[in-house]
Amino acid sequence: MAEVRLHQVNKIYQGRTPSPKAWWEFWKSSSTPSQVHIVKNAELKIKDGEFVVLVGPSGCGKSTTLRMIAGLEEATSGEIVIGDRVVNNVSPKERDIAMVFQSYALYPHMTVFENMAFGLRLRNLPNHEIEKAVKQASELLGLDKLLQRKPKELSGGQRQRVAMGRAIVRKPQVYLMDEPLSNLDAKLRVQMRAELQKMHRRLGVTTVYVTHDQVEAMTLGDRIVIMKDGIIQQADSPLNLYERPANLYVAGFIGTPSMNFIPVTLQDGELVASGFRLQLPEDRRAEVGNHNGKALVLGLRPTDLSDSPSALSMQASVEVIEPLGSENYLYCSVGKDMVAARVDGRSTVRAGDTVTLGFKAEQFHLFDAESELAISHSRGGKSEGA
Amino acid sequence: MVSPAVLGLLLFVLAPFALSFLISFTDLSLGSPHPMHWVGTLQYERLFHDPALARALANNLRFALVVVPLQTALALALAVLLHRPGWRLAGLYRAIFFAPVVFPMSLVAVIWRYLYAPGLQGPANRLLSWLSLGHWQARDFLHDPEWALGALMALSVWQGVGLQMVILLGGLQQIPSDLYEAAALDGAGPLQRFRRVTLPMLRNTLIFTALMTSILAFRVFDQVQILTHGGPAGATSTLMFELVRSAFERLQMGRACALTVLFVLIVLLLTGLQRLALRQRAL
């Protein structure tokens, strides 16, 4: 087991985009070099035994980061450390890692047993040890009755398990998983998520996990790294990400339905929005002191809003109601802005009604509209700091 | 009722074959004043004792045994070398290696007749002389009983390797790249990846190309007709050459049709072997 460190890691693809040319000039290399900066100055320290999830929209560089740790892509600059070794120039097979691919990448011509044993055979382990290791892993994953089958004779979930098993038998320092559950149906995904957690608790191996699904990230990760446009936005525990998002992107990414953003301006201790004015509570004024007169964004989680007046409240007209049984989501307009709120399932509010949405003085976030960085967080948090 | 495809098959494939099958039991001879007789299996009995045919079949077999493995290995090597996604010159090289496939055999034969020219003036002789530091004795490849068949084999490999390469390249492109990545992480070096991933994944394509080349090896005709005419002394005679000679030089249609039936049987046998190989361990 080992820790993994990324230090100022960059990945730049040198591409060539062919430019239009006449057919008789086909022999001229008339393509223009182009650069894609896919990972920018990544700085990350993954502790020994930690389960870290890289999450973000497609193209954000999360898979590339994982593949650089695996050695399948070369880092353009920066340092990648596994354990106490800089591995930039170490081949994938020497890095002592195992990877689970989105497509599983099982060898179709080998049985389940051979698939799992392949890596061990290449390391010239004696047969009885290989058999023991495969047996152990297959029992852990419930594959012991399928060992003689070929991948095409397995269901999606079983294939996924074989891919896991292939990683487990190697007893590597680090597991790397690239969207391993995204080819499963929703029900199986939830089940495998729980099994992954169980497995990680049992084996305690450092794991780096890539997904685009924020629920998967929140439920699996000890720590979550949110990436966007090749830049790490925030790396923190699920709770801290939820309660202390570093910027607008993280705030909107974590939580369903996502946080309401209402543009406001700060005028002498008062937040002025298109549909309401709020007196800032005393304890928040210090944090926003030097932003007087500036454009800010007020962040309110739908779950922190209720349809009863509270310390702070605003008038809203209900436009759409989404009943979910235990609770209803109201989508209302407040001035020029749209606000979602969660109310009790037995609420009798109907579309077209005007309601008073209230929230507690400590339950809102403020962001700088220009830099998009957080200025002030809600006070509901059980944990302070990172 | 009957779909056009089936009709076409009946008209252009099955009917002619059925006709050949019938004629193979007669002594039909074009240009002969004698009327045609049913002779039963006489043509087949004669073929069975015909030393010229035995010689031709032995040549075909030798041809297959040399050309199939050689051409397959060469095509595989070329395909692996040229399978470089993103390599700008790959297309050019592919076109170069594929070019002989589209050349007409008569043109190819003319080029190679020049290459095989006797005496040290012939390019092939000169090359071998240079490679052996002058120890090579110039030969007349196409008229030397020991060398004529080998000369035809070399030319055939050169002409056929491109098509096989293109088919194998198609097979290589079907192999998902993450299999190679998984194998690399599992600890497989380039050679092991080739042996444990490329070869098994390419198995069915390889069986197909080997079958195709085998059938072609039993069909060799153009090179023989143009360059050696079966000679010297039957050293390069083949089944197809015998067949054409029977039909169009000696006008013995009965015998030619019996040879046709024999050829079809050989092709069926080879195809059967392929099906067996594919079924044995289908992916």
Side-chain angles (χ1 to χ4, degrees):
Chain A
M1 273 163 268
E3 62 169 36
V4 176
R5 274 202 327 271
L6 304 184
H7 180 59
Q8 291 296 308
V9 171
N10 279 282
K11 177 70 189 178
I12 300 170
Y13 282 111
Q14 298 287 355
R16 281 188 159 272
T17 21
S19 44
K21 58 191 173 186
W23 64 267
W24 59 85
E25 285 179 324
F26 71 95
W27 48 272
K28 282 187 188 168
S29 68
S30 59
S31 55
T32 45
S34 64
Q35 279 193 350
V36 188
H37 203 154
I38 191 84
V39 175
K40 295 171 192 159
N41 290 324
E43 190 74 49
L44 184 64
K45 193 173 164 185
I46 299 167
K47 290 191 281 277
D48 186 12
E50 201 176 15
F51 197 121
V52 165
V53 179
L54 305 183
V55 66
S58 50
C60 72
K62 56 189 193 296
S63 279
T64 309
T65 306
L66 191 80
R67 291 167 62 82
M68 284 194 290
I69 299 174
L72 298 172
E73 306 268 356
E74 208 178 319
T76 311
S77 67
E79 222 172 51
I80 298 171
V81 180
I82 297 177
D84 39 22
R85 253 193 329 169
V86 177
V87 293
N88 286 52
N89 294 316
V90 178
S91 74
K93 67 171 180 173
E94 310 285 333
R95 291 192 184 194
D96 203 9
I97 45 159
M99 186 156 165
V100 178
F101 292 81
Q102 182 177 4
S103 63
Y104 315 142
L106 301 178
Y107 310 116
H109 51 281
M110 296 185 196
T111 62
V112 170
F113 180 89
E114 288 165 346
N115 261 289
M116 287 164 70
F118 187 60
L120 303 178
R121 285 209 199 291
L122 290 172
R123 280 170 175 70
N124 290 321
L125 251 66
N127 266 331
H128 63 272
E129 267 182 51
I130 294 178
E131 268 167 42
K132 204 174 113 198
V134 173
K135 195 164 165 269
Q136 264 178 3
S138 60
E139 275 166 12
L140 182 70
L141 292 161
L143 290 169
D144 32 344
K145 298 206 165 49
L146 306 172
L147 285 177
Q148 292 317 313
R149 298 231 193 133
K150 295 270 179 68
K152 68 161 186 189
E153 299 163 327
L154 302 176
S155 69
Q158 289 167 336
R159 282 179 211 182
Q160 214 284 324
R161 279 160 202 268
V162 178
M164 293 283 188
R166 195 166 61 176
I168 291 175
V169 291
R170 296 247 316 273
K171 298 200 170 61
Q173 305 254 21
V174 182
Y175 290 132
L176 305 175
M177 306 194 181
D178 191 359
E179 310 224 10
L181 305 184
S182 61
N183 283 348
L184 302 178
D185 62 58
K187 203 176 150 195
L188 208 53
R189 204 178 308 161
V190 175
Q191 189 192 333
M192 283 308 292
R193 216 156 66 194
E195 283 194 35
L196 261 173
Q197 266 176 316
K198 226 169 25 180
M199 216 175 75
H200 179 249
R201 218 169 303 140
R202 182 163 164 175
L203 302 169
V205 177
T206 315
T207 305
V208 188
Y209 187 106
V210 162
T211 181
H212 61 266
D213 180 351
Q214 59 124 331
V215 178
E216 220 169 275
M218 293 293 272
T219 50
L220 280 172
D222 294 330
R223 211 144 54 94
I224 298 171
V225 178
I226 298 183
M227 294 185 72
K228 185 196 162 209
D229 300 333
I231 297 171
I232 294 179
Q233 305 288 317
Q234 192 172 0
D236 218 329
S237 70
L239 194 67
N240 274 343
L241 286 177
Y242 187 79
E243 291 184 341
R244 307 181 64 80
N247 57 34
L248 274 178
Y249 182 76
V250 175
F253 191 82
I254 300 288
T256 340
S258 55
M259 191 186 278
N260 295 303
F261 294 132
I262 305 162
V264 295
T265 40
L266 182 66
Q267 287 171 7
D268 303 321
E270 211 176 24
L271 295 176
V272 182
S274 63
F276 60 92
R277 299 168 83 90
L278 283 181
Q279 197 69 34
L280 261 187
E282 207 58 51
D283 60 331
R284 308 288 282 268
R285 288 199 188 161
E287 289 171 346
V288 298
N290 56 350
H291 286 82
N292 203 9
K294 280 199 188 155
L296 303 180
V297 175
L298 174 67
L300 283 169
R301 295 224 179 258
T303 47
D304 289 339
L305 285 164
S306 64
D307 57 349
S308 54
S310 183
L312 301 167
S313 51
M314 53 179 120
Q315 295 296 310
S317 77
V318 180
E319 307 219 329
V320 179
I321 299 178
E322 275 183 2
L324 297 176
S326 63
E327 56 201 30
N328 290 350
Y329 283 101
L330 308 181
Y331 293 89
C332 324
S333 60
V334 178
K336 284 186 223 150
D337 308 302
M338 286 299 291
V339 172
R342 183 182 70 174
V343 298
D344 193 87
R346 281 158 297 188
S347 149
T348 52
V349 178
R350 282 188 298 180
D353 290 358
T354 301
V355 292
T356 306
L357 294 178
F359 55 99
K360 298 209 184 82
E362 60 269 22
Q363 283 170 336
F364 64 87
H365 304 262
L366 278 175
F367 302 90
D368 187 319
E370 199 183 329
S371 71
E372 300 196 348
L373 296 175
I375 301 167
S376 166
H377 289 299
S378 74
R379 295 293 193 268
K382 283 151 252 165
S383 57
E384 275 296 312
Chain B
M1 279 296 282
V2 185
S3 70
V6 174
L7 202 68
L9 193 72
L10 280 174
L11 208 63
F12 295 110
V13 178
L14 286 178
F17 180 70
L19 202 61
S20 302
F21 190 67
L22 285 178
I23 294 172
S24 74
F25 293 102
T26 69
D27 63 355
L28 177 64
S29 178
L30 298 176
S32 155
H34 304 293
M36 181 181 90
H37 299 289
W38 290 100
V39 295
T41 56
L42 181 69
Q43 297 288 10
Y44 294 97
E45 281 160 36
R46 277 194 198 150
L47 286 184
F48 200 71
H49 300 291
D50 183 350
L53 177 65
R55 180 112 203 228
L57 278 176
N59 282 339
N60 278 122
L61 197 64
R62 250 184 273 168
F63 198 91
L65 286 178
V66 174
V67 169
V68 175
L70 190 68
Q71 188 173 318
T72 306
L74 211 60
L76 183 61
L78 285 175
V80 169
L81 284 176
L82 293 182
H83 180 58
R84 297 268 170 81
W87 183 34
R88 288 164 59 79
L89 288 178
L92 181 68
Y93 281 105
R94 262 175 241 177
I96 290 173
F97 285 114
F98 190 72
V101 178
V102 285
F103 293 162
M105 188 41 108
S106 46
L107 173 66
V108 171
V110 170
I111 297 169
W112 282 74
R113 187 197 293 282
Y114 163 71
L115 291 179
Y116 283 144
L120 275 177
Q121 297 311 306
N125 274 320
R126 213 179 320 161
L127 178 73
L128 286 167
S129 164
W130 180 71
L131 283 176
S132 65
L133 306 169
H135 292 292
W136 175 258
Q137 290 188 324
R139 284 182 167 77
D140 185 356
F141 291 100
L142 294 175
H143 296 99
D144 185 325
E146 279 182 23
W147 287 86
L149 190 64
L152 291 188
M153 287 174 185
L155 169 164
S156 304
V157 169
W158 176 82
Q159 206 231 359
V161 75
L163 183 62
Q164 238 180 329
M165 175 198 77
V166 167
I167 296 171
L168 289 175
L169 262 172
L172 282 178
Q173 276 154 10
Q174 299 288 312
I175 304 177
S177 62
D178 51 14
L179 277 189
Y180 290 106
E181 293 179 346
L185 287 171
D186 265 340
L191 268 179
Q192 279 159 326
R193 289 203 288 272
F194 177 74
R195 207 166 69 83
R196 311 298 288 267
V197 178
T198 310
L199 275 187
M201 295 298 287
L202 216 52
R203 193 182 120 90
N204 287 356
T205 317
L206 279 169
I207 291 175
F208 170 73
T209 51
L211 169 86
M212 209 179 62
T213 317
S214 309
I215 292 176
L216 288 175
F218 279 92
R219 253 184 46 174
V220 180
F221 171 71
D222 309 31
Q223 305 83 312
V224 178
Q225 173 75 9
I226 299 168
L227 286 175
T228 63
H229 220 75
T236 58
S237 164
T238 62
L239 173 63
M240 204 43 82
F241 181 73
E242 278 293 309
L243 195 158
V244 172
R245 230 158 48 139
S246 296
F248 302 108
E249 282 179 26
R250 306 194 196 118
L251 306 177
Q252 300 162 332
M253 292 315 278
R255 182 179 135 94
C257 286
L259 283 169
T260 308
V261 173
L262 181 67
F263 174 68
V264 170
L265 284 179
I266 289 172
V267 171
L268 281 178
L269 184 76
L270 288 171
T271 317
L273 282 178
Q274 183 212 18
R275 296 201 61 132
L276 207 68
L278 282 181
R279 196 173 315 160
Q280 209 172 40
R281 216 178 59 174
L283 284 181

